[in-house]
Amino acid sequence: MTNATVLDDLVGGPGDRHAADSRAGILRGILRRRSTVVAGGFLVLLILCAVLAPMIAPHDPDAQDLLQRLRPPGGDHLLGTDDYGRDVLSRLIYGARVSLQAAVQAVVVALLIGLPPGIAAGYRGGWLDSALTRIMDALMSAPSLVLAITIVAVLGPGITNAMLAVGLVMAPRFFRVARATTMDVRHETYIEASVALGCGSLRTIGRHILPNVAPPIVLVISVSLGTAVAAEASLSFLGLGVRPPAASWGSMLSTASSNMGIAPYLVWPPGVMIFLTVLAFTYLGDGVRKGMLRSRSVSSKGD
């Protein structure tokens, strides 16, 4: 073990402890809020339904039975059937799998595109910061849904291309948060000491910057997941997302809108699930934000 490594471990103590205390404070703040706990429980239940969809879905979501088309809720079909005779409940359960998977894909793309440049811009500053900030500002200036539709139109319809477009649109959020947080901590004493002792940029970022960037990034992730669910539903509603006959909440809404006059019950299951899922992610993000504020308040009092 080199002297630089030993000294880096010593100067890294305060920053590491501060990040660990911050994460613990955020977790305590989240658990104290009943609305956040309920939202988290709902999301856990939704994830379980998505994972166990083949075991809990009462019917094949793609099986068509034209003799049973547009049946109202009841009997073997608790939520009724659509215009192809497919079971709405089964499609709703499988639609949760598609929506959550799509949301995770979009957030991962946004994280990969926005986080590294944001940390680099905040850490290095200068011309690199100016160039990256201008690129992200230009990306933010375009209407998000229009930009996503344009990208899907160029790449072709499909859930992967749709989520790539949504992730690209959301990337500036991660960039701005990562940049601002990095700029806040890059002049801390323990980071300057680490650099002065000869630690490389990558080691300094990985050891000292990332633990401090993580809490606000978690907040952005929780909010962005809800945004991605709504964006996927919008693109699938327009026929630019999931490809038929795969089930998606957005495509189910599109089918329901075509049969509003004769089967208005079709609009409620996917509409309510989109609403509750986005609301749950919003409450979870709000809980993380309140936990961060509480953690900072306690930390400032301790100082």
Side-chain angles (χ1 to χ4, degrees), residues 121-186:
Y123 185 73
R124 288 296 184 185
W127 67 267
L128 181 63
D129 181 24
S130 299
L132 292 175
T133 301
R134 289 182 182 275
I135 293 174
M136 291 297 173
D137 287 344
L139 193 59
M140 288 187 67
S141 65
S144 57
L145 187 58
V146 174
L147 181 60
I149 292 175
T150 302
I151 295 173
V152 171
V154 172
L155 298 179
I159 193 65
T160 300
N161 292 340
M163 291 305 100
L164 177 62
V166 172
L168 181 62
V169 169
M170 294 193 303
R173 301 181 186 178
F174 291 86
F175 172 84
R176 292 167 72 92
V177 171
R179 174 179 175 271
T181 307
T182 303
M183 292 180 69
D184 285 341
V185 302
R186 71 176 178 177

Side-chain angles (χ1 to χ4, degrees), residues 91-92 230 233-234 236-238 248-260 264-275:
R91 293 183 65 78
L92 193 71
S234 300
S236 294
F237 180 85
L238 297 173
S248 166
W249 293 341
S251 62
M252 291 176 68
L253 275 179
S254 180
T255 298
S257 66
S258 302
N259 298 279
M260 280 292 293
Y265 58 86
L266 289 177
V267 74
W268 288 103
V272 169
M273 287 305 301
I274 293 172
F275 170 76

Side-chain angles (χ1 to χ4, degrees), residues 22-41 215 218-219 222 283-292 294-295:
S22 177
R23 290 192 293 268
I26 292 172
L27 182 59
R28 287 194 297 269
I30 290 174
L31 294 178
R32 285 191 177 122
R33 294 179 59 82
R34 183 178 302 176
S35 59
T36 306
V37 174
V38 172
V218 170
L219 169 60
S222 62
Y283 270 107
L284 185 63
D286 184 65
V288 173
R289 182 181 65 84
K290 295 288 180 62
M292 289 175 59
R294 180 181 179 84
S295 176

Side-chain angles (χ1 to χ4, degrees), residues 80-130:
T81 61
D82 63 9
D83 53 354
Y84 288 99
R86 298 173 297 194
D87 183 65
V88 173
L89 177 58
S90 299
R91 293 183 65 78
L92 193 71
I93 294 173
Y94 274 85
R97 170 180 288 190
V98 172
S99 295
L100 292 178
Q101 180 181 350
V104 171
Q105 288 177 347
V107 170
V108 168
V109 170
L111 194 64
L112 293 177
I113 295 176
L115 181 61
I119 294 177
Y123 185 73
R124 288 296 184 185
W127 67 267
L128 181 63
D129 181 24
S130 299

